[in-house]
Coordinates of all heavy atoms in Angstrom, one line a residue:
L6 N 44.2 70.5 45.2 CA 44.6 71.0 43.9 C 45.8 71.9 44.0 O 45.7 72.9 44.7 CB 43.4 71.7 43.2 CG 43.5 72.2 41.8 CD1 43.9 71.0 40.8 CD2 42.3 72.9 41.3
M7 N 46.8 71.7 43.1 CA 48.0 72.5 43.2 C 48.1 73.5 42.1 O 48.4 74.6 42.4 CB 49.2 71.5 43.1 CG 50.5 72.0 43.5 SD 51.6 70.5 43.5 CE 53.1 71.3 43.3
Y8 N 47.9 73.1 40.9 CA 48.1 74.0 39.7 C 47.0 73.7 38.7 O 46.5 72.6 38.6 CB 49.4 73.8 38.9 CG 50.6 74.0 39.7 CD1 51.5 72.9 40.0 CD2 51.0 75.3 40.1 CE1 52.7 73.1 40.7 CE2 52.2 75.5 40.8 CZ 53.0 74.4 41.1 OH 54.2 74.6 41.8
V9 N 46.7 74.7 37.9 CA 45.9 74.5 36.7 C 46.7 75.3 35.6 O 47.5 76.2 35.9 CB 44.5 75.2 36.7 CG1 43.6 74.4 37.7 CG2 44.5 76.6 37.0
T10 N 46.7 74.9 34.4 CA 47.5 75.4 33.3 C 46.6 76.1 32.3 O 45.6 75.7 31.9 CB 48.2 74.3 32.6 OG1 49.1 73.6 33.5 CG2 49.2 74.9 31.5
V11 N 47.1 77.3 32.0 CA 46.4 78.2 30.9 C 47.6 78.3 29.9 O 48.6 78.8 30.2 CB 46.0 79.5 31.5 CG1 45.5 80.4 30.3 CG2 44.8 79.3 32.4
Y12 N 47.3 77.9 28.6 CA 48.3 78.1 27.6 C 48.2 79.5 27.0 O 47.1 80.0 26.6 CB 48.0 77.0 26.5 CG 48.3 75.6 27.0 CD1 47.2 74.8 27.4 CD2 49.6 75.2 27.2 CE1 47.5 73.6 27.9 CE2 49.8 73.9 27.7 CZ 48.8 73.1 28.1 OH 49.0 71.9 28.6
V13 N 49.4 80.1 26.8 CA 49.4 81.5 26.4 C 50.5 81.6 25.3 O 51.5 80.9 25.3 CB 49.8 82.5 27.6 CG1 48.6 82.4 28.6 CG2 51.1 82.2 28.2
T14 N 50.4 82.6 24.5 CA 51.4 82.7 23.4 C 52.5 83.8 23.8 O 53.5 83.7 23.2 CB 50.7 83.4 22.1 OG1 50.0 84.5 22.4 CG2 49.7 82.3 21.5
D15 N 52.3 84.5 24.8 CA 53.3 85.5 25.3 C 53.2 85.5 26.8 O 52.2 86.1 27.4 CB 53.0 86.9 24.6 CG 54.1 87.9 25.1 OD1 54.5 87.9 26.2 OD2 54.5 88.7 24.1
Q16 N 54.1 84.9 27.5 CA 54.1 84.9 29.0 C 54.1 86.3 29.6 O 53.4 86.5 30.6 CB 55.2 84.0 29.5 CG 54.9 82.5 29.3 CD 56.1 81.7 29.8 OE1 57.2 81.9 29.4 NE2 55.7 80.8 30.7
D17 N 54.9 87.2 29.1 CA 54.9 88.5 29.7 C 53.6 89.3 29.5 O 53.1 89.9 30.5 CB 56.1 89.4 29.1 CG 57.4 88.9 29.5 OD1 57.6 88.5 30.7 OD2 58.3 88.9 28.7
R18 N 53.0 89.2 28.4 CA 51.7 89.8 28.1 C 50.7 89.2 29.0 O 49.8 89.9 29.6 CB 51.3 89.7 26.7 CG 50.0 90.3 26.3 CD 49.7 90.2 24.9 NE 49.4 88.8 24.5 CZ 48.9 88.4 23.4 NH1 48.8 89.2 22.4 NH2 48.6 87.2 23.2
A19 N 50.7 87.8 29.2 CA 49.7 87.1 30.0 C 49.9 87.5 31.5 O 49.0 87.7 32.2 CB 49.9 85.6 29.9
L20 N 51.2 87.6 31.9 CA 51.5 88.0 33.3 C 50.9 89.4 33.6 O 50.3 89.6 34.6 CB 53.0 88.0 33.5 CG 53.4 88.4 35.0 CD1 52.8 87.5 36.0 CD2 55.0 88.5 35.0
A21 N 51.0 90.3 32.6 CA 50.5 91.6 32.8 C 48.9 91.6 32.9 O 48.3 92.2 33.8 CB 50.9 92.6 31.7
F22 N 48.3 90.8 32.1 CA 46.9 90.6 32.2 C 46.4 90.1 33.5 O 45.5 90.7 34.2 CB 46.4 89.7 31.1 CG 44.9 89.4 31.2 CD1 43.9 90.2 30.7 CD2 44.5 88.2 31.7 CE1 42.6 89.9 30.8 CE2 43.2 87.9 31.9 CZ 42.2 88.7 31.4
Y23 N 47.0 89.0 34.0 CA 46.5 88.4 35.2 C 46.9 89.1 36.4 O 46.2 89.1 37.4 CB 47.1 86.9 35.2 CG 46.4 86.0 34.3 CD1 46.8 85.8 33.0 CD2 45.2 85.4 34.7 CE1 46.1 85.0 32.1 CE2 44.5 84.6 33.7 CZ 45.0 84.4 32.5 OH 44.3 83.6 31.6
T24 N 48.1 89.8 36.5 CA 48.4 90.6 37.7 C 47.9 92.0 37.6 O 47.1 92.4 38.5 CB 49.9 90.6 37.8 OG1 50.6 91.2 36.6 CG2 50.5 89.2 38.1
E25 N 48.2 92.8 36.6 CA 47.8 94.2 36.5 C 46.3 94.4 36.2 O 45.6 95.2 36.7 CB 48.6 94.9 35.5 CG 50.1 95.0 35.8 CD 50.9 95.5 34.6 OE1 50.3 96.1 33.7 OE2 52.1 95.3 34.7
G26 N 45.8 93.4 35.4 CA 44.4 93.5 35.0 C 43.5 92.9 36.0 O 42.6 93.5 36.6
L27 N 43.6 91.5 36.2 CA 42.8 90.8 37.1 C 43.2 91.0 38.6 O 42.4 90.7 39.5 CB 42.7 89.3 36.8 CG 42.1 88.9 35.6 CD1 42.1 87.4 35.4 CD2 40.6 89.4 35.5
G28 N 44.4 91.4 38.9 CA 44.8 91.7 40.3 C 45.3 90.4 40.9 O 45.4 90.5 42.2
L29 N 45.7 89.4 40.2 CA 46.3 88.2 40.9 C 47.7 88.5 41.2 O 48.3 89.5 40.8 CB 46.2 87.0 39.9 CG 44.8 86.6 39.5 CD1 44.8 85.3 38.7 CD2 43.8 86.4 40.6
Q30 N 48.4 87.7 42.0 CA 49.7 87.9 42.5 C 50.7 86.9 41.7 O 50.3 85.7 41.6 CB 49.8 87.6 43.9 CG 49.0 88.5 44.8 CD 49.0 88.1 46.3 OE1 49.5 87.0 46.7 NE2 48.4 88.8 47.1
K31 N 51.8 87.4 41.3 CA 52.8 86.5 40.7 C 53.4 85.7 41.9 O 53.8 86.2 42.8 CB 53.9 87.3 40.0 CG 54.9 86.4 39.4 CD 56.0 87.2 38.5 CE 56.8 88.0 39.3 NZ 58.0 88.6 38.5
R32 N 53.5 84.4 41.7 CA 54.1 83.5 42.7 C 55.4 83.0 42.3 O 56.4 83.1 43.1 CB 53.1 82.3 42.9 CG 51.8 82.7 43.6 CD 51.9 82.8 45.1 NE 50.7 83.1 45.8 CZ 49.8 82.2 46.1 NH1 50.0 80.9 45.9 NH2 48.7 82.6 46.7
I33 N 55.5 82.4 41.1 CA 56.8 81.8 40.7 C 57.1 82.3 39.3 O 56.3 82.4 38.5 CB 56.7 80.2 40.7 CG1 56.3 79.6 42.0 CG2 58.0 79.6 40.1 CD1 56.0 78.1 42.0
D34 N 58.4 82.7 39.1 CA 58.9 83.0 37.8 C 60.3 82.5 37.7 O 61.3 83.2 38.2 CB 58.9 84.6 37.7 CG 59.1 85.0 36.2 OD1 59.5 84.1 35.4 OD2 59.0 86.2 36.0
Y35 N 60.5 81.3 37.2 CA 61.7 80.6 37.2 C 62.0 80.1 35.8 O 61.2 79.5 35.1 CB 61.7 79.4 38.1 CG 62.9 78.5 38.0 CD1 64.1 78.9 38.6 CD2 62.8 77.3 37.2 CE1 65.2 78.1 38.4 CE2 64.0 76.5 37.2 CZ 65.1 76.9 37.7 OH 66.2 76.1 37.6
T36 N 63.2 80.5 35.3 CA 63.6 80.0 33.9 C 64.7 78.9 34.1 O 65.7 79.2 34.7 CB 64.1 81.1 33.1 OG1 63.1 82.1 33.0 CG2 64.5 80.6 31.7
G37 N 64.3 77.7 33.6 CA 65.3 76.6 33.7 C 65.4 75.9 32.4 O 65.0 76.5 31.3
P38 N 66.0 74.7 32.4 CA 66.2 74.0 31.1 C 64.9 73.7 30.4 O 65.0 73.4 29.1 CB 67.0 72.8 31.5 CG 66.9 72.7 33.0 CD 66.6 74.1 33.5
D39 N 63.8 73.6 31.1 CA 62.6 73.2 30.4 C 61.8 74.4 30.0 O 60.6 74.3 29.6 CB 61.7 72.3 31.4 CG 62.4 71.0 31.7 OD1 63.0 70.4 30.8 OD2 62.2 70.5 32.8
G40 N 62.3 75.6 30.2 CA 61.6 76.8 29.9 C 61.2 77.6 31.1 O 61.7 77.4 32.2
R41 N 60.4 78.6 30.9 CA 60.0 79.5 32.0 C 58.7 79.0 32.6 O 57.7 78.7 32.1 CB 59.7 80.9 31.4 CG 59.3 81.9 32.5 CD 59.1 83.3 31.7 NE 58.8 84.3 32.7 CZ 58.3 85.5 32.4 NH1 58.1 85.8 31.1 NH2 58.0 86.4 33.3
F42 N 58.9 78.8 34.0 CA 57.8 78.3 34.8 C 57.2 79.5 35.5 O 57.9 80.1 36.4 CB 58.3 77.2 35.8 CG 57.2 76.6 36.6 CD1 56.3 75.7 36.0 CD2 56.9 76.9 37.9 CE1 55.3 75.1 36.7 CE2 55.9 76.3 38.7 CZ 55.1 75.4 38.1
L43 N 56.0 80.0 35.2 CA 55.5 81.2 35.6 C 54.1 80.9 36.2 O 53.2 80.3 35.5 CB 55.4 82.2 34.5 CG 54.8 83.5 34.7 CD1 55.6 84.3 35.7 CD2 54.7 84.3 33.3
T44 N 53.8 81.3 37.5 CA 52.5 81.1 38.0 C 52.0 82.4 38.7 O 52.7 83.2 39.1 CB 52.5 80.0 39.1 OG1 53.2 80.4 40.3 CG2 53.2 78.7 38.6
V45 N 50.7 82.4 38.8 CA 49.9 83.5 39.5 C 48.8 82.8 40.4 O 48.5 81.7 40.1 CB 49.3 84.5 38.5 CG1 50.3 85.3 37.7 CG2 48.3 83.8 37.5
A46 N 48.4 83.5 41.4 CA 47.3 83.0 42.2 C 46.5 84.2 42.8 O 47.0 85.3 42.8 CB 47.9 82.2 43.3
A47 N 45.3 83.9 43.2 CA 44.5 84.9 43.9 C 44.7 84.9 45.4 O 44.6 83.9 46.1 CB 43.0 84.5 43.7
G48 N 45.2 86.0 45.9 CA 45.4 86.2 47.4 C 46.2 85.1 48.0 O 47.3 84.7 47.5
D49 N 45.7 84.5 49.0 CA 46.4 83.4 49.8 C 46.0 82.0 49.2 O 46.4 81.1 49.8 CB 46.1 83.6 51.2 CG 46.8 84.8 51.9 OD1 47.8 85.3 51.4 OD2 46.2 85.3 52.8
D50 N 45.3 82.0 48.2 CA 44.8 80.7 47.7 C 46.0 79.8 47.3 O 46.9 80.3 46.6 CB 44.0 80.9 46.4 CG 43.2 79.8 45.9 OD1 43.7 78.6 46.1 OD2 42.1 79.9 45.5
P51 N 46.0 78.5 47.8 CA 47.1 77.7 47.4 C 47.2 77.2 46.0 O 48.2 76.7 45.6 CB 46.9 76.5 48.4 CG 45.4 76.5 48.6 CD 45.0 77.9 48.6

C-alpha cells in the first residue's frame, strides 16, 4: 500500500493537525499544475 487519501477543506490546517497534533511527519509538499500534493506518515512507515 502506497497512499491513502483524506479529503480536507484546508490543507494547512490539516497539516498542522496531523503533524503538530497527531505527531506524524510531513513527507511531500509539492505544488504543481494539478494542485498541492501534500502527504504525511507515521515514523518510517512507507
Side-chain angles (χ1 to χ4, degrees):
L6 182 60
M7 193 171 160
Y8 299 113
V9 296
T10 302
V11 172
Y12 295 100
V13 300
T14 57
D15 181 320
Q16 286 178 302
D17 289 323
R18 182 178 69 174
L20 180 62
F22 171 84
Y23 286 91
T24 57
E25 297 167 19
L27 291 181
L29 302 183
Q30 300 170 355
K31 179 170 73 169
R32 292 277 181 87
I33 300 171
D34 191 350
Y35 173 78
T36 302
D39 295 326
R41 184 178 181 194
F42 186 75
L43 179 62
T44 71
V45 295
D49 294 330
D50 194 323

